[in-house]
Amino acid sequence: MLLHDKLKSFRLILASQSPRRRQLLSDAGIEYELAPRFECDELFSEDMPAEQVAEYLSALKSEAYPQPLAERDILLTADTVV
């Protein structure tokens, strides 16, 4: 079974304004809803190892999401380090 088939019984909420992330999901045939913009202070310690920053910021965004999630909701947050 393909990923987009496994996700059909869930509501995927993309909490990202990145056109690239939207394109990746669309190209994979994965249906999603775009979350409305919400405030999140994306701050991290300067001594945090670079390989931990994206995961830390993704978790921070998840915690800042202002709406409660239903049982079959999946909130997708992401970040990148350049």
Side-chain angles (χ1 to χ4, degrees), residues 44-62:
F44 58 92
S45 172
E46 289 185 19
D47 62 345
M48 180 179 286
E51 62 271 8
Q52 294 177 5
V53 173
E55 183 177 351
Y56 175 80
L57 291 176
S58 294
L60 200 64
K61 291 174 187 178
S62 292

Side-chain angles (χ1 to χ4, degrees), residues 14-81:
L14 178 60
S16 171
Q17 300 301 316
S18 165
R20 182 69 180 134
R21 290 189 183 98
R22 290 188 294 238
Q23 187 67 47
L24 287 169
L25 290 173
S26 295
D27 288 350
I30 298 172
E31 295 181 21
Y32 66 92
E33 294 179 21
L34 190 58
R37 289 184 186 264
F38 60 95
E39 293 295 319
C40 178
D41 292 328
E42 296 182 38
L43 304 173
F44 58 92
S45 172
E46 289 185 19
D47 62 345
M48 180 179 286
E51 62 271 8
Q52 294 177 5
V53 173
E55 183 177 351
Y56 175 80
L57 291 176
S58 294
L60 200 64
K61 291 174 187 178
S62 292
E63 293 167 5
Y65 189 67
Q67 301 173 2
L69 298 175
E71 184 178 327
R72 305 295 290 174
D73 288 349
I74 297 174
L75 179 66
L76 179 58
T77 60
D79 211 292
T80 54
V81 176

